[in-house]
Amino acid sequence: MEIKITRTTSPKQKPDQKALGFGKYYTDHMFIMNYDEGEGWHDARIVPYGPFQLDPAAMVLHYAQEVFEGLKAYRRADGEIQLFRPEKNMARLNVSCDRLCIPKIDEEFAIKAIKALVDVDSDWVPTEEGTSLYIRPYIFAVDPQVGVHPAKHLIFAIILSPVGAYYPQGLAPVKIYVEQKYVRAVVGGTGYTKAGANYAISLKGQEEAAKEGYVQTLWLDGVERKYIEEVGAMNVFFKIDGEIVTPSLVGSILGGITRMSIVELLQSKGYKVSERRLSIDELCEAFKAGKLEEAWGTGTAAVISPIGELKYGDLVMPVNNGEIGEVSQMLYDTLTGIQWGKIEDTFGWTTKIK
Ligand code: PLP
Ligand code: COI
């Protein structure tokens, strides 16, 4: 399928690269293609960034039949632009599609579309230290139907946003609230997918945690409320008495591409990583015994975010004196070094856009 390109005649003014924040600015163009039953995916095009026209009955507005992905384009020191493991994101997008009864996309074609769009908006890929171009592919149902059934008409779109750090405090450790009242996912549900609805249901806990000064919530399993799952926008790792532990992907947790990469990176450096169930009680006991050495989150947006404090009920657990730990710092430096092309990519994780 060809991608038809229509360039904007009124490019926007670019934001100050030192004050990008996360998801505040969008580039000049977007990618769109349509799905219609009988025809499949068609009409791939890059057009000036602008609103969609949707029927008020469009199914996504009523039943949230929507999935998305998140990846980034990075500006290398030599000026070239590269993506980080885009094939993993597109494979995961199809996993999400399957769960939400959304027709699958051609993964290779979707990567071609991402590359073409980033190329058209290449002057939006920021150069400032710590910045990148966030890529948001998403698919949503547009049939004007208030009956509940899988859509026959959908839109696949990609938008781009130049970003800095996800958390306003940058690499400074974040404070995380262990959620006891609400749950995010159960096995058999959609926790392992990037369905927009997963995020809608997480807002309430996040809002309540924010009132207490915590930036995000750590979710426990939805059945026993005992086992640690993940944080709102990142997977979690703990270093307990020398062992690096991350919750195993039991079906209710998103299989992060950063998580996968960090496991591979740690193993390549000789660390032992345990992917296993970790209960909140075990974590609290480790803290009380002085054995909780480090904690950090991993995600495309969050990169490596050290966790400086956890709160579970009345127990406040400062981690590593609220400072970034040795392993977290090494992981941040190595991962971002590969992403920004400062360190040789011996894993073959990066792909230039052309
Ligand atoms: N968990 C959730 C709920 C997320 O939204 C994200 C972000 O995509 C992650 C984990 C980390 O996934 P990834 O490393 O693929 O960005
Ligand atoms: C990402 O890291 O790509 C995410 O999707 C996290 C968040 C912005 C939802």
Side-chain angles (χ1 to χ4, degrees):
M1 192 173 10
E2 279 305 300
I3 302 174
K4 188 170 171 243
I5 301 177
T6 310
R7 286 180 190 264
T8 182
T9 50
S10 47
K12 299 174 202 169
Q13 206 185 338
K14 304 229 175 20
D16 174 4
Q17 287 195 17
K18 290 195 164 63
L20 289 174
F22 189 88
K24 289 198 289 188
Y25 305 99
Y26 297 93
T27 65
D28 286 320
H29 298 88
M30 62 198 284
F31 171 87
I32 308 178
M33 68 178 172
N34 296 75
Y35 180 91
D36 293 293
E37 196 179 55
E39 215 178 332
W41 288 108
H42 64 91
D43 271 320
R45 59 210 185 268
I46 290 172
V47 294
Y49 186 95
F52 293 111
Q53 206 173 18
L54 283 186
D55 193 286
M59 284 176 53
V60 66
L61 302 176
H62 303 271
Y63 307 121
Q65 197 187 0
E66 188 265 357
V67 294
F68 69 95
E69 267 305 323
L71 65 161
K72 284 173 170 173
Y74 304 84
R75 175 81 65 182
R76 295 165 50 95
D78 61 12
E80 290 198 69
I81 298 167
Q82 64 189 20
L83 306 174
F84 185 76
R85 311 189 86 175
E87 64 288 348
K88 297 285 178 203
N89 291 91
M90 293 307 102
R92 187 172 66 185
L93 183 59
N94 269 340
V95 169
S96 301
C97 285
D98 184 61
R99 179 64 180 82
L100 273 284
C101 291
I102 288 175
K104 291 195 180 164
I105 47 123
D106 176 333
E107 294 166 23
E108 262 177 51
F109 179 75
I111 295 171
K112 187 174 146 191
I114 290 170
K115 288 182 175 172
L117 180 64
V118 173
D119 188 37
V120 167
D121 276 337
S122 59
D123 54 351
W124 282 85
V125 183
T127 50
E128 193 67 33
E129 173 94 30
T131 62
S132 53
L133 186 71
Y134 186 76
I135 304 167
R136 169 53 58 85
Y138 55 115
I139 307 178
F140 56 96
V142 298
D143 309 35
Q145 264 289 344
V146 288
V148 182
H149 59 74
K152 296 181 172 135
H153 307 279
L154 300 100
I155 290 177
F156 175 100
I158 309 171
I159 55 172
L160 307 173
S161 174
V163 298
Y166 185 61
Y167 298 117
Q169 60 271 54
L171 190 58
V174 290
K175 289 170 68 179
I176 304 283
Y177 186 91
V178 183
E179 181 59 62
Q180 289 182 278
K181 191 158 139 199
Y182 307 108
V183 298
R184 171 184 180 272
V186 289
V187 176
T190 56
Y192 66 97
T193 72
K194 275 184 90 74
N198 289 343
Y199 297 78
I201 63 162
S202 73
L203 296 172
K204 186 78 177 160
Q206 198 173 309
E207 192 181 64
E208 292 182 10
K211 283 191 195 136
E212 292 200 37
Y214 290 83
V215 37
Q216 278 204 343
T217 51
L218 175 64
W219 297 102
L220 300 180
D221 78 276
V223 177
E224 293 181 74
R225 307 212 186 173
K226 182 174 168 188
Y227 294 102
I228 291 173
E229 300 228 305
E230 61 184 316
V231 169
M234 50 193 201
N235 296 109
V236 279
F237 286 74
F238 300 92
K239 183 160 170 269
I240 302 172
D241 200 17
E243 179 196 13
I244 295 177
V245 188
T246 189
S248 40
L249 300 177
V250 289
S252 44
I253 300 175
L254 187 77
I257 289 145
T258 322
R259 175 191 179 282
M260 176 195 296
S261 309
I262 288 305
V263 170
E264 290 170 37
L265 195 64
L266 282 166
Q267 286 169 343
S268 78
K269 291 193 181 282
Y271 287 91
K272 187 178 167 293
V273 188
S274 311
E275 295 185 57
R276 64 169 174 89
R277 300 210 90 183
L278 172 67
S279 73
I280 187 67
D281 293 338
E282 182 185 340
L283 192 78
C284 294
E285 288 314 311
F287 167 75
K288 288 178 192 158
K291 292 179 176 169
L292 175 56
E293 295 159 357
E294 277 189 56
W296 66 88
T298 65
T300 299
V303 195
I304 302 293
S305 283
I307 297 173
E309 181 181 312
L310 288 154
K311 183 170 194 270
Y312 178 57
D314 293 330
L315 182 65
V316 175
M317 300 182 267
V319 187
N320 196 40
N321 298 319
E323 287 163 24
I324 182 163
E326 204 181 305
V327 180
S328 323
Q329 184 73 58
M330 179 279 288
L331 292 172
Y332 180 85
D333 293 342
T334 314
L335 180 70
T336 59
I338 293 171
Q339 290 171 334
W340 278 296
K342 293 178 193 160
I343 295 179
E344 193 197 344
D345 173 13
T346 52
F347 297 94
W349 286 338
T350 52
T351 311
K352 300 218 175 114
I353 63 156
K354 58 180 187 185

